[in-house]
Amino acid sequence: MGEGPGLYPDIGKKARDLLYRDYQSDHKFSLTTYTANGVAITSSGAKKGDLFLVDVSTKLVNKNITTDVKVDTNSKLLTTITIDEPAPGLKTIFSFVVPDQRSGKVELQYLHEYAGISISIGLTASPLVNFSGVAGNNTVALGTDVCFDTASGNFTKYNAALSFSTSDLIASLILNDKTDTLTASYYHTVSPLTNTAVGAELSHGFSSNENSLTIGTQHSLDPLTTVKARVNNAGIASALLQHEWRPKSVLTISGEVDTRAIEKSAKVGLALALKP
């Protein structure tokens, strides 16, 4: 998280990234090029079953202002403007989707040595107002995340989280879904030199009385190649190989198999990201 407790989404992020990030069963391709004035243009395609989705995005950085524009398969235009540190520790984010007139939103983020705060409000007559805050330090942090619908006068979301961190261990406890789901996660760095780590996530649904458990690990074979593996209590086992074959160009191959139904075909995902 760096100095201070960070923002609310940072709680448990290390474990989530280890267990879920880059795993996929689709085929994806992205190509990034740069214009003479520094605009990054990224073209992406993804095959999901019988569907093939394409989007094009551009990114322009001018001093402390970053402008991202993305056009997807449905001809929707998503624009995000980020102003980094107009004041110390402050970040302002403005986003909207065309043609959705109700999509406009302004978000303010503030990072402090002992706190991290994010406030967002929709740009409508009766907006959704979201607030998340974290208090603590690099070792212990306590946070909350709530959303209030001014149109109905109801809270549509209220979550809470607790995190404990040391130099090689991060443990978190998160209460989600309006206090209906409790999730505990654990991330442990085994060897920083080889980026070897283990992690686990255990969730319990109070209304359904159901539990889910996922455990996983990662290891760098060399500075450019990483392998990951995970398995959950449903018997779904996954593995991943990621190789940076040139600077910022990454090939990812992942597979998934149901160990309780070996006769079923394994799912294989492929992602290729190219940057000059």
Side-chain angles (χ1 to χ4, degrees):
M1 294 184 194
E3 294 184 0
L7 298 173
Y8 186 85
D10 294 327
I11 296 179
K13 185 176 184 300
K14 277 279 193 178
R16 290 194 300 271
D17 285 351
L18 185 150
L19 296 173
Y20 304 111
R21 185 177 178 181
D22 296 324
Y23 285 102
Q24 60 185 356
S25 57
D26 306 318
H27 297 164
K28 298 182 179 181
F29 173 82
S30 67
L31 173 64
T32 302
T33 58
Y34 296 89
T35 64
N37 59 353
V39 177
I41 303 175
T42 301
S43 302
S44 302
K47 186 177 185 300
K48 297 178 178 291
D50 295 331
L51 297 177
F52 189 75
L53 307 177
V54 178
D55 61 67
V56 178
S57 60
T58 62
K59 182 176 183 177
L60 173 63
V61 180
N62 182 15
K63 296 181 179 179
N64 67 328
I65 301 176
T66 301
T67 303
D68 292 279
V69 180
K70 179 179 179 180
V71 182
D72 65 15
T73 305
N74 298 319
S75 299
K76 290 184 178 180
L77 181 68
L78 170 62
T79 300
T80 304
I81 301 172
T82 304
I83 305 175
D84 194 19
E85 292 211 336
L90 184 67
K91 178 183 288 186
T92 304
I93 303 171
F94 173 66
S95 63
F96 60 91
V97 178
V98 176
D100 187 356
Q101 298 179 356
R102 296 179 54 86
S103 63
K105 183 176 69 173
V106 172
E107 180 179 358
L108 295 177
Q109 297 179 356
Y110 178 70
L111 290 174
H112 183 269
E113 185 179 1
Y114 299 109
I117 297 172
S118 176
I119 302 173
S120 68
I121 183 170
L123 301 179
T124 62
S126 301
L128 289 173
V129 180
N130 198 97
F131 169 84
S132 65
V134 180
N137 51 36
N138 286 335
T139 303
V140 179
L142 178 65
T144 186
D145 181 25
V146 298
C147 184
F148 181 75
D149 186 348
T150 59
S152 64
N154 296 321
F155 284 96
T156 61
K157 176 176 66 174
Y158 38 89
N159 304 323
L162 175 66
S163 176
F164 174 77
S165 305
T166 65
S167 59
D168 61 353
L169 182 149
I170 302 175
S172 65
L173 198 62
I174 304 175
L175 197 58
N176 283 328
D177 303 326
K178 297 181 178 180
T179 71
D180 186 59
T181 303
L182 182 64
T183 299
S185 66
Y186 168 83
Y187 177 92
H188 177 61
T189 301
V190 178
S191 173
L193 294 178
T194 58
N195 194 31
T196 303
V198 295
E201 183 182 81
L202 174 65
S203 294
H204 174 74
F206 293 103
S207 60
S208 63
N209 199 31
E210 293 182 352
N211 299 315
S212 64
L213 172 66
T214 303
I215 59 175
T217 184
Q218 70 178 25
H219 174 75
S220 292
L221 301 177
D222 57 54
L224 302 177
T225 308
T226 299
V227 292
K228 297 172 64 176
R230 70 178 184 191
V231 65
N232 62 24
N233 64 312
I236 305 299
S238 306
L240 176 152
L241 172 67
Q242 189 170 74
H243 178 65
E244 186 177 2
W245 57 281
R246 57 176 292 177
K248 298 182 180 180
S249 294
V250 179
L251 172 66
T252 304
I253 302 174
S254 57
E256 177 182 292
V257 64
D258 187 347
T259 61
R260 298 180 180 178
I262 298 296
E263 69 279 3
K264 293 183 179 180
S265 299
K267 297 179 180 179
V268 179
L270 176 67
L272 180 61
L274 301 177
K275 291 187 179 182

